[in-house]
Amino acid sequence: AGAATLEVASQVQVALVSTGDELVKAGDERRFGQIYDSNGPMLSAMMREFGASPRPPSSAPDESEALIATLRNAMECPIVLTVGGMSMGTHDLVPQSFESLGVKWRFHGVSMRPGKPMAYGVGPDGQQVFGLPGNPVSAFVCAWLFVRMAIRGLEGFAPLPPETVHAKLAEDIKPHRDSRPAYIPARVWGDDGKGLLAAPTKWSGSSDPFGLVEANALLYLPNPNKVTVAGLGVDVIPTTGGFE
């Protein structure tokens, strides 16, 4: 093309830390009361899809000194993601542990479902710090809506929110007793060239990762406490390459 110089950006390194005494790495023995860490592998794959270079996921127990040591190591990267420990329980030590390392929180808590406990802060050297909720669908949604923008911005792209596509609901959605805007795992498909149809996948809440397996989009409901009827126009956020 005759170009003598090119403007490029390096891949952004991302540190991933899953927190909780109950977590076990896949392949290790699982004891009573423990669960396998599915968020680490899921988020690693998402970071690669977003164009970043994730470190191998690490984990930290619900113990202050060990957690702070793990977070200090993670903050060598320009983007740091932690999963879990962001609510208000006695074992939710992540916010104050980051504060002890110089992180200034810009917000903690978002009016959305799932993903309400999410936090965002900036480290002493400009690190972009995201405290994601521990439930897998919450972590997925927050990463797609927020972390992706930070990665794009650091790699030289416009840090725009994810694109939305217009579709029509294929079925009624019952109202929820929750007024927070909702981002629901959904399946979107073409209707013989007449447009796109969308329907929620079978999903029982933010702790249920299996609704994401069949999903290729997030269905946005600004007023989920109202009946949403089939045929209504809705916005969806694609989470795969396209719709069939």
Side-chain angles (χ1 to χ4, degrees):
T5 59
L6 297 175
E7 184 175 352
V8 299
S10 60
Q11 283 188 310
V12 176
Q13 270 208 325
V14 179
L16 300 167
V17 180
S18 296
T19 67
D21 294 333
E22 74 279 11
L23 296 178
V24 180
K25 186 184 298 184
D28 291 347
E29 180 185 358
R30 186 181 67 170
R31 299 176 181 176
F32 180 77
Q34 294 182 317
I35 59 174
Y36 289 116
D37 176 22
S38 60
N39 284 321
M42 176 186 73
L43 289 167
S44 290
M46 293 180 74
M47 296 306 105
R48 288 191 292 269
E49 184 175 347
F50 295 162
S53 175
R55 278 185 179 182
S58 59
S59 60
D62 295 319
E63 190 277 317
S64 182
E65 289 188 11
L67 177 59
I68 290 173
T70 302
L71 297 182
R72 181 181 289 110
N73 180 265
M75 287 179 64
E76 296 174 357
C77 293
I79 293 184
V80 182
L81 305 185
T82 61
V83 190
M86 293 305 302
S87 296
M88 302 299 176
T90 56
H91 293 290
D92 295 320
L93 305 175
V94 174
Q96 57 265 44
S97 297
F98 268 129
E99 289 169 8
S100 73
L101 296 171
V103 172
K104 304 294 184 183
W105 295 111
R106 299 295 175 86
F107 63 82
H108 186 176
V110 183
S111 181
M112 59 183 283
R113 181 177 65 87
K116 180 180 178 181
M118 195 196 111
Y120 165 74
V122 179
D125 296 317
Q127 301 96 326
Q128 305 290 293
V129 178
F130 295 87
L132 306 185
N135 283 329
V137 182
S138 299
F140 179 94
V141 170
C142 290
W144 202 276
L145 297 182
F146 297 98
V147 180
R148 176 183 171 275
M149 284 197 290
I151 291 172
R152 286 182 58 83
L154 290 176
E155 292 189 345
F157 297 98
L160 299 174
E163 66 168 322
T164 58
V165 176
H166 200 65
K168 289 185 178 181
L169 272 182
E171 59 186 58
D172 294 348
I173 300 178
K174 296 180 180 179
H176 295 266
R177 295 179 180 177
D178 194 329
S179 61
R180 289 175 293 161
Y183 296 85
I184 300 173
R187 188 75 190 168
V188 180
W189 67 95
D191 183 22
D192 297 328
K194 298 179 182 179
L196 295 173
L197 294 174
T201 60
K202 293 181 179 180
W203 178 57
S204 59
S206 60
S207 62
D208 173 16
F210 299 104
L212 291 173
V213 175
E214 299 297 328
N216 59 2
L218 297 174
L219 171 62
Y220 173 60
L221 295 178
N223 297 300
N225 56 348
K226 298 181 179 179
V227 177
T228 310
V229 297
L232 185 70
V234 293
D235 288 329
V236 296
I237 299 172
T239 57
T240 61
F243 304 130
E244 297 179 358

